Amino acid sequence: MSGKGNETVTHRIAVIGGDGIGPEVISVALDVITAAGADISTTDFDLGGQRYLRDGTVLDDDTLDELRAYDAILLGAVGTPEVPPGVIERGLLLKARFSLDLYVNLRPFTLPDGHSFTVIRENTEGAYAGEGGFLRKGTPHEIATQGSVNTRMGAERVIRYGFELARQRERRHLTLVHKTNVLTFSGDLWERTFNEVAVEYPDVGTAYNHVDAACIHFVEDPHRYEVIVTDNLFGDILTDLGGAISGGIGLAASANLNPDRTSPSLFEPVHGSAPDIAGQGLANPTAAVLSAVLMLEFLGEAECAARVRAACEAAVSHDEVPDIGTDEIAKAIHAGLTDG
Ligand code: NAD
Ligand code: IPM
Ligand code: MN
């Protein structure tokens, strides 16, 4: 519930369970936040690889317009080995990120020792933009290009978001991760923009790491990080690593934000549809639950979000790799709600 006085607001959530373990983890996430008292109404959207195999639908413009009417979108995972790579990933997930202008991909991590840091990944440009194509396809002289698109506007808005977030954190520290030593065009634009915006935030300390070195630091010295801002592809790769060092990919949550709230934001785990474990009750639903927590926070339901987050923290023992499945973890989170 939210609102002033006795007024309450029911948040309208569009739910895309998707493929593989997506529906398994999303059903836990919805159960948990409902049990925690979240005032939501949900509408299921049957989208993803399985829907595509049935009738060829990926994400048409009418459905996209329907999605715009919701307060938020909660997504499990999309993509399945039976569909060629990219059809669903680009046609559904990237189409939503780009069309809804979800330019901030927020991916927070908590290390086993309790240190938290957040990666802010640019979410609408870079190598993901779709620039490029084939020449002489299928011939011995075939050429494939896939350019990285970087605009001053796109870099600046996400960097600015990074400074604003860092300003709210304890150490007030922001690291730019890029590859300026090789990507002398896009890296230069990012670094210049970062340094120019930094002048407006004299209270925020800054650092720069090349992405390859950042991979070392993630494993050996992640404490140096508080907030990181980086481009789309580097952010994708770094955040799977972030999951791996933070107790596993099954714990990693993410928010695709439209900070200007001109369209609904989309919340989803960092992980994919995990076809290797789908349908076996093995998926860890915590990442999906924590993604729903990020959703509740963005919708202004801080209290409910905090209760669910605390229940997840209580359920997760970072010290041991839990040899338990989806149901057991779901039960442990529910128990944490009751205890809390
Ligand atoms: P993946 O994240 O699905 O799986 C990688 C590994 O992590 C697998 O071994 C899997 O079993 C494990 N894993 C993932 N989530 C887990 C969980 N909750 N609990 C326990 N183990 C978990 O990555 P992939 O195999 O490269 O991709 C599979 C499909 O998912 C592809 O089609 C890919 O495009 C898609 N994908 C979708 C999204 C999304 O929709 N947001 C994200 C990433 C990948
Ligand atoms: C992620 C996924 C997506 C990405 C794919 C499925 C398009 O890997 O959200 O991290 O690369 O952004
Ligand atoms: Mn990824």
Side-chain angles (χ1 to χ4, degrees), residues 199-224:
V199 174
E200 297 173 40
Y201 295 85
D203 53 325
V204 176
T206 59
Y208 171 80
N209 292 152
H210 295 315
V211 65
D212 44 355
C215 290
I216 301 175
H217 301 323
F218 263 49
V219 174
E220 294 187 347
D221 180 26
H223 294 92
R224 66 172 59 213

PDB file of all heavy atoms in Angstrom, residues 199-224:
ATOM      1  N   VAL A 199      32.983  17.351 -12.373  1.00  0.00           N
ATOM      2  CA  VAL A 199      33.217  18.713 -11.871  1.00  0.00           C
ATOM      3  C   VAL A 199      31.994  19.219 -11.095  1.00  0.00           C
ATOM      4  O   VAL A 199      32.123  19.952 -10.120  1.00  0.00           O
ATOM      5  CB  VAL A 199      33.548  19.666 -13.050  1.00  0.00           C
ATOM      6  CG1 VAL A 199      33.655  21.113 -12.582  1.00  0.00           C
ATOM      7  CG2 VAL A 199      34.828  19.223 -13.740  1.00  0.00           C
ATOM      8  N   GLU A 200      30.811  18.744 -11.507  1.00  0.00           N
ATOM      9  CA  GLU A 200      29.567  19.161 -10.825  1.00  0.00           C
ATOM     10  C   GLU A 200      29.348  18.409  -9.518  1.00  0.00           C
ATOM     11  O   GLU A 200      28.440  18.728  -8.764  1.00  0.00           O
ATOM     12  CB  GLU A 200      28.358  18.913 -11.737  1.00  0.00           C
ATOM     13  CG  GLU A 200      28.376  19.718 -13.017  1.00  0.00           C
ATOM     14  CD  GLU A 200      27.243  19.279 -13.936  1.00  0.00           C
ATOM     15  OE1 GLU A 200      26.121  19.008 -13.440  1.00  0.00           O
ATOM     16  OE2 GLU A 200      27.482  19.188 -15.151  1.00  0.00           O
ATOM     17  N   TYR A 201      30.156  17.371  -9.278  1.00  0.00           N
ATOM     18  CA  TYR A 201      29.998  16.553  -8.065  1.00  0.00           C
ATOM     19  C   TYR A 201      31.326  16.484  -7.296  1.00  0.00           C
ATOM     20  O   TYR A 201      31.924  15.413  -7.165  1.00  0.00           O
ATOM     21  CB  TYR A 201      29.533  15.142  -8.442  1.00  0.00           C
ATOM     22  CG  TYR A 201      28.158  15.095  -9.059  1.00  0.00           C
ATOM     23  CD1 TYR A 201      27.983  15.300 -10.424  1.00  0.00           C
ATOM     24  CD2 TYR A 201      27.029  14.864  -8.276  1.00  0.00           C
ATOM     25  CE1 TYR A 201      26.715  15.271 -11.002  1.00  0.00           C
ATOM     26  CE2 TYR A 201      25.767  14.826  -8.843  1.00  0.00           C
ATOM     27  CZ  TYR A 201      25.616  15.034 -10.210  1.00  0.00           C
ATOM     28  OH  TYR A 201      24.361  14.998 -10.770  1.00  0.00           O
ATOM     29  N   PRO A 202      31.775  17.638  -6.770  1.00  0.00           N
ATOM     30  CA  PRO A 202      33.076  17.649  -6.085  1.00  0.00           C
ATOM     31  C   PRO A 202      33.090  16.787  -4.823  1.00  0.00           C
ATOM     32  O   PRO A 202      34.160  16.408  -4.348  1.00  0.00           O
ATOM     33  CB  PRO A 202      33.280  19.136  -5.743  1.00  0.00           C
ATOM     34  CG  PRO A 202      31.926  19.741  -5.802  1.00  0.00           C
ATOM     35  CD  PRO A 202      31.126  18.962  -6.786  1.00  0.00           C
ATOM     36  N   ASP A 203      31.908  16.459  -4.323  1.00  0.00           N
ATOM     37  CA  ASP A 203      31.817  15.632  -3.107  1.00  0.00           C
ATOM     38  C   ASP A 203      31.908  14.134  -3.410  1.00  0.00           C
ATOM     39  O   ASP A 203      31.898  13.311  -2.495  1.00  0.00           O
ATOM     40  CB  ASP A 203      30.487  15.928  -2.390  1.00  0.00           C
ATOM     41  CG  ASP A 203      29.284  15.794  -3.326  1.00  0.00           C
ATOM     42  OD1 ASP A 203      29.407  16.138  -4.522  1.00  0.00           O
ATOM     43  OD2 ASP A 203      28.222  15.327  -2.868  1.00  0.00           O
ATOM     44  N   VAL A 204      31.957  13.762  -4.691  1.00  0.00           N
ATOM     45  CA  VAL A 204      32.026  12.335  -5.057  1.00  0.00           C
ATOM     46  C   VAL A 204      33.447  12.014  -5.538  1.00  0.00           C
ATOM     47  O   VAL A 204      33.954  12.642  -6.471  1.00  0.00           O
ATOM     48  CB  VAL A 204      30.998  12.001  -6.163  1.00  0.00           C
ATOM     49  CG1 VAL A 204      31.137  10.549  -6.617  1.00  0.00           C
ATOM     50  CG2 VAL A 204      29.573  12.268  -5.677  1.00  0.00           C
ATOM     51  N   GLY A 205      34.077  11.041  -4.893  1.00  0.00           N
ATOM     52  CA  GLY A 205      35.396  10.585  -5.323  1.00  0.00           C
ATOM     53  C   GLY A 205      35.268   9.705  -6.550  1.00  0.00           C
ATOM     54  O   GLY A 205      34.264   8.997  -6.712  1.00  0.00           O
ATOM     55  N   THR A 206      36.260   9.743  -7.418  1.00  0.00           N
ATOM     56  CA  THR A 206      36.154   8.972  -8.656  1.00  0.00           C
ATOM     57  C   THR A 206      37.391   8.113  -8.892  1.00  0.00           C
ATOM     58  O   THR A 206      38.461   8.365  -8.350  1.00  0.00           O
ATOM     59  CB  THR A 206      35.982   9.905  -9.887  1.00  0.00           C
ATOM     60  OG1 THR A 206      37.109  10.776  -9.960  1.00  0.00           O
ATOM     61  CG2 THR A 206      34.704  10.704  -9.793  1.00  0.00           C
ATOM     62  N   ALA A 207      37.202   7.097  -9.706  1.00  0.00           N
ATOM     63  CA  ALA A 207      38.316   6.262 -10.155  1.00  0.00           C
ATOM     64  C   ALA A 207      37.986   5.775 -11.553  1.00  0.00           C
ATOM     65  O   ALA A 207      36.832   5.847 -11.997  1.00  0.00           O
ATOM     66  CB  ALA A 207      38.506   5.079  -9.205  1.00  0.00           C
ATOM     67  N   TYR A 208      39.001   5.302 -12.230  1.00  0.00           N
ATOM     68  CA  TYR A 208      38.816   4.706 -13.548  1.00  0.00           C
ATOM     69  C   TYR A 208      39.528   3.358 -13.591  1.00  0.00           C
ATOM     70  O   TYR A 208      40.663   3.260 -13.133  1.00  0.00           O
ATOM     71  CB  TYR A 208      39.382   5.611 -14.668  1.00  0.00           C
ATOM     72  CG  TYR A 208      39.387   4.875 -15.981  1.00  0.00           C
ATOM     73  CD1 TYR A 208      38.218   4.769 -16.728  1.00  0.00           C
ATOM     74  CD2 TYR A 208      40.516   4.183 -16.420  1.00  0.00           C
ATOM     75  CE1 TYR A 208      38.184   4.012 -17.883  1.00  0.00           C
ATOM     76  CE2 TYR A 208      40.495   3.421 -17.576  1.00  0.00           C
ATOM     77  CZ  TYR A 208      39.321   3.346 -18.304  1.00  0.00           C
ATOM     78  OH  TYR A 208      39.276   2.574 -19.443  1.00  0.00           O
ATOM     79  N   ASN A 209      38.859   2.337 -14.124  1.00  0.00           N
ATOM     80  CA  ASN A 209      39.528   1.043 -14.374  1.00  0.00           C
ATOM     81  C   ASN A 209      39.218   0.573 -15.791  1.00  0.00           C
ATOM     82  O   ASN A 209      38.079   0.659 -16.242  1.00  0.00           O
ATOM     83  CB  ASN A 209      39.023  -0.059 -13.435  1.00  0.00           C
ATOM     84  CG  ASN A 209      39.405   0.125 -11.974  1.00  0.00           C
ATOM     85  OD1 ASN A 209      38.693  -0.334 -11.093  1.00  0.00           O
ATOM     86  ND2 ASN A 209      40.520   0.775 -11.706  1.00  0.00           N
ATOM     87  N   HIS A 210      40.224   0.047 -16.445  1.00  0.00           N
ATOM     88  CA  HIS A 210      39.958  -0.688 -17.685  1.00  0.00           C
ATOM     89  C   HIS A 210      39.167  -1.949 -17.335  1.00  0.00           C
ATOM     90  O   HIS A 210      39.364  -2.539 -16.262  1.00  0.00           O
ATOM     91  CB  HIS A 210      41.265  -1.088 -18.367  1.00  0.00           C
ATOM     92  CG  HIS A 210      42.082   0.084 -18.856  1.00  0.00           C
ATOM     93  ND1 HIS A 210      41.535   1.146 -19.540  1.00  0.00           N
ATOM     94  CD2 HIS A 210      43.406   0.350 -18.753  1.00  0.00           C
ATOM     95  CE1 HIS A 210      42.483   2.003 -19.849  1.00  0.00           C
ATOM     96  NE2 HIS A 210      43.635   1.554 -19.368  1.00  0.00           N
ATOM     97  N   VAL A 211      38.318  -2.380 -18.247  1.00  0.00           N
ATOM     98  CA  VAL A 211      37.402  -3.476 -17.927  1.00  0.00           C
ATOM     99  C   VAL A 211      38.142  -4.790 -17.641  1.00  0.00           C
ATOM    100  O   VAL A 211      37.696  -5.594 -16.803  1.00  0.00           O
ATOM    101  CB  VAL A 211      36.329  -3.642 -19.023  1.00  0.00           C
ATOM    102  CG1 VAL A 211      36.946  -4.061 -20.359  1.00  0.00           C
ATOM    103  CG2 VAL A 211      35.248  -4.623 -18.592  1.00  0.00           C
ATOM    104  N   ASP A 212      39.251  -5.016 -18.306  1.00  0.00           N
ATOM    105  CA  ASP A 212      39.981  -6.271 -18.044  1.00  0.00           C
ATOM    106  C   ASP A 212      40.546  -6.273 -16.621  1.00  0.00           C
ATOM    107  O   ASP A 212      40.426  -7.255 -15.890  1.00  0.00           O
ATOM    108  CB  ASP A 212      41.069  -6.537 -19.110  1.00  0.00           C
ATOM    109  CG  ASP A 212      41.900  -5.322 -19.488  1.00  0.00           C
ATOM    110  OD1 ASP A 212      41.610  -4.202 -19.001  1.00  0.00           O
ATOM    111  OD2 ASP A 212      42.858  -5.481 -20.272  1.00  0.00           O
ATOM    112  N   ALA A 213      41.085  -5.125 -16.212  1.00  0.00           N
ATOM    113  CA  ALA A 213      41.591  -5.035 -14.836  1.00  0.00           C
ATOM    114  C   ALA A 213      40.439  -5.097 -13.830  1.00  0.00           C
ATOM    115  O   ALA A 213      40.581  -5.680 -12.739  1.00  0.00           O
ATOM    116  CB  ALA A 213      42.378  -3.749 -14.654  1.00  0.00           C
ATOM    117  N   ALA A 214      39.308  -4.532 -14.195  1.00  0.00           N
ATOM    118  CA  ALA A 214      38.142  -4.588 -13.295  1.00  0.00           C
ATOM    119  C   ALA A 214      37.767  -6.047 -12.997  1.00  0.00           C
ATOM    120  O   ALA A 214      37.341  -6.373 -11.889  1.00  0.00           O
ATOM    121  CB  ALA A 214      36.962  -3.835 -13.897  1.00  0.00           C
ATOM    122  N   CYS A 215      37.948  -6.933 -13.987  1.00  0.00           N
ATOM    123  CA  CYS A 215      37.660  -8.359 -13.755  1.00  0.00           C
ATOM    124  C   CYS A 215      38.582  -8.927 -12.679  1.00  0.00           C
ATOM    125  O   CYS A 215      38.141  -9.719 -11.836  1.00  0.00           O
ATOM    126  CB  CYS A 215      37.820  -9.154 -15.051  1.00  0.00           C
ATOM    127  SG  CYS A 215      36.541  -8.809 -16.261  1.00  0.00           S
ATOM    128  N   ILE A 216      39.835  -8.527 -12.689  1.00  0.00           N
ATOM    129  CA  ILE A 216      40.757  -8.964 -11.618  1.00  0.00           C
ATOM    130  C   ILE A 216      40.254  -8.428 -10.280  1.00  0.00           C
ATOM    131  O   ILE A 216      40.140  -9.174  -9.301  1.00  0.00           O
ATOM    132  CB  ILE A 216      42.190  -8.426 -11.844  1.00  0.00           C
ATOM    133  CG1 ILE A 216      42.764  -8.896 -13.165  1.00  0.00           C
ATOM    134  CG2 ILE A 216      43.100  -8.847 -10.669  1.00  0.00           C
ATOM    135  CD1 ILE A 216      44.132  -8.277 -13.483  1.00  0.00           C
ATOM    136  N   HIS A 217      39.948  -7.130 -10.249  1.00  0.00           N
ATOM    137  CA  HIS A 217      39.546  -6.508  -8.979  1.00  0.00           C
ATOM    138  C   HIS A 217      38.244  -7.102  -8.451  1.00  0.00           C
ATOM    139  O   HIS A 217      38.062  -7.210  -7.243  1.00  0.00           O
ATOM    140  CB  HIS A 217      39.399  -4.990  -9.144  1.00  0.00           C
ATOM    141  CG  HIS A 217      40.662  -4.320  -9.600  1.00  0.00           C
ATOM    142  ND1 HIS A 217      41.907  -4.716  -9.181  1.00  0.00           N
ATOM    143  CD2 HIS A 217      40.867  -3.280 -10.453  1.00  0.00           C
ATOM    144  CE1 HIS A 217      42.823  -3.940  -9.760  1.00  0.00           C
ATOM    145  NE2 HIS A 217      42.211  -3.071 -10.532  1.00  0.00           N
ATOM    146  N   PHE A 218      37.323  -7.468  -9.345  1.00  0.00           N
ATOM    147  CA  PHE A 218      36.073  -8.102  -8.897  1.00  0.00           C
ATOM    148  C   PHE A 218      36.383  -9.354  -8.078  1.00  0.00           C
ATOM    149  O   PHE A 218      35.733  -9.633  -7.078  1.00  0.00           O
ATOM    150  CB  PHE A 218      35.191  -8.486 -10.103  1.00  0.00           C
ATOM    151  CG  PHE A 218      34.120  -7.480 -10.420  1.00  0.00           C
ATOM    152  CD1 PHE A 218      34.429  -6.134 -10.525  1.00  0.00           C
ATOM    153  CD2 PHE A 218      32.795  -7.872 -10.602  1.00  0.00           C
ATOM    154  CE1 PHE A 218      33.452  -5.192 -10.816  1.00  0.00           C
ATOM    155  CE2 PHE A 218      31.805  -6.943 -10.892  1.00  0.00           C
ATOM    156  CZ  PHE A 218      32.132  -5.604 -10.997  1.00  0.00           C
ATOM    157  N   VAL A 219      37.373 -10.105  -8.539  1.00  0.00           N
ATOM    158  CA  VAL A 219      37.691 -11.378  -7.883  1.00  0.00           C
ATOM    159  C   VAL A 219      38.597 -11.157  -6.676  1.00  0.00           C
ATOM    160  O   VAL A 219      38.411 -11.776  -5.634  1.00  0.00           O
ATOM    161  CB  VAL A 219      38.346 -12.351  -8.894  1.00  0.00           C
ATOM    162  CG1 VAL A 219      38.818 -13.619  -8.211  1.00  0.00           C
ATOM    163  CG2 VAL A 219      37.346 -12.678 -10.022  1.00  0.00           C
ATOM    164  N   GLU A 220      39.562 -10.249  -6.809  1.00  0.00           N
ATOM    165  CA  GLU A 220      40.601 -10.139  -5.771  1.00  0.00           C
ATOM    166  C   GLU A 220      40.383  -9.013  -4.778  1.00  0.00           C
ATOM    167  O   GLU A 220      40.865  -9.091  -3.647  1.00  0.00           O
ATOM    168  CB  GLU A 220      41.976  -9.963  -6.441  1.00  0.00           C
ATOM    169  CG  GLU A 220      42.394 -11.202  -7.219  1.00  0.00           C
ATOM    170  CD  GLU A 220      43.820 -11.109  -7.745  1.00  0.00           C
ATOM    171  OE1 GLU A 220      44.396  -9.998  -7.713  1.00  0.00           O
ATOM    172  OE2 GLU A 220      44.333 -12.144  -8.200  1.00  0.00           O
ATOM    173  N   ASP A 221      39.714  -7.951  -5.213  1.00  0.00           N
ATOM    174  CA  ASP A 221      39.582  -6.787  -4.333  1.00  0.00           C
ATOM    175  C   ASP A 221      38.297  -5.996  -4.631  1.00  0.00           C
ATOM    176  O   ASP A 221      38.338  -4.800  -4.918  1.00  0.00           O
ATOM    177  CB  ASP A 221      40.811  -5.873  -4.517  1.00  0.00           C
ATOM    178  CG  ASP A 221      40.754  -4.643  -3.627  1.00  0.00           C
ATOM    179  OD1 ASP A 221      40.098  -4.706  -2.560  1.00  0.00           O
ATOM    180  OD2 ASP A 221      41.349  -3.614  -4.003  1.00  0.00           O
ATOM    181  N   PRO A 222      37.128  -6.659  -4.550  1.00  0.00           N
ATOM    182  CA  PRO A 222      35.886  -5.966  -4.912  1.00  0.00           C
ATOM    183  C   PRO A 222      35.514  -4.840  -3.934  1.00  0.00           C
ATOM    184  O   PRO A 222      34.674  -4.008  -4.256  1.00  0.00           O
ATOM    185  CB  PRO A 222      34.840  -7.084  -4.904  1.00  0.00           C
ATOM    186  CG  PRO A 222      35.410  -8.152  -4.047  1.00  0.00           C
ATOM    187  CD  PRO A 222      36.896  -8.073  -4.187  1.00  0.00           C
ATOM    188  N   HIS A 223      36.160  -4.819  -2.782  1.00  0.00           N
ATOM    189  CA  HIS A 223      35.839  -3.779  -1.798  1.00  0.00           C
ATOM    190  C   HIS A 223      36.158  -2.382  -2.287  1.00  0.00           C
ATOM    191  O   HIS A 223      35.650  -1.406  -1.742  1.00  0.00           O
ATOM    192  CB  HIS A 223      36.582  -4.037  -0.482  1.00  0.00           C
ATOM    193  CG  HIS A 223      36.119  -5.270   0.179  1.00  0.00           C
ATOM    194  ND1 HIS A 223      36.715  -6.493  -0.024  1.00  0.00           N
ATOM    195  CD2 HIS A 223      35.075  -5.499   1.004  1.00  0.00           C
ATOM    196  CE1 HIS A 223      36.070  -7.415   0.656  1.00  0.00           C
ATOM    197  NE2 HIS A 223      35.062  -6.846   1.283  1.00  0.00           N
ATOM    198  N   ARG A 224      37.003  -2.276  -3.273  1.00  0.00           N
ATOM    199  CA  ARG A 224      37.341  -0.952  -3.798  1.00  0.00           C
ATOM    200  C   ARG A 224      36.127  -0.285  -4.467  1.00  0.00           C
ATOM    201  O   ARG A 224      36.140   0.904  -4.710  1.00  0.00           O
ATOM    202  CB  ARG A 224      38.474  -1.059  -4.810  1.00  0.00           C
ATOM    203  CG  ARG A 224      38.080  -1.806  -6.069  1.00  0.00           C
ATOM    204  CD  ARG A 224      39.152  -1.737  -7.149  1.00  0.00           C
ATOM    205  NE  ARG A 224      40.436  -2.278  -6.744  1.00  0.00           N
ATOM    206  CZ  ARG A 224      41.611  -1.805  -7.188  1.00  0.00           C
ATOM    207  NH1 ARG A 224      41.643  -0.809  -8.053  1.00  0.00           N
ATOM    208  NH2 ARG A 224      42.722  -2.372  -6.788  1.00  0.00           N
TER     209      ARG A 224
END
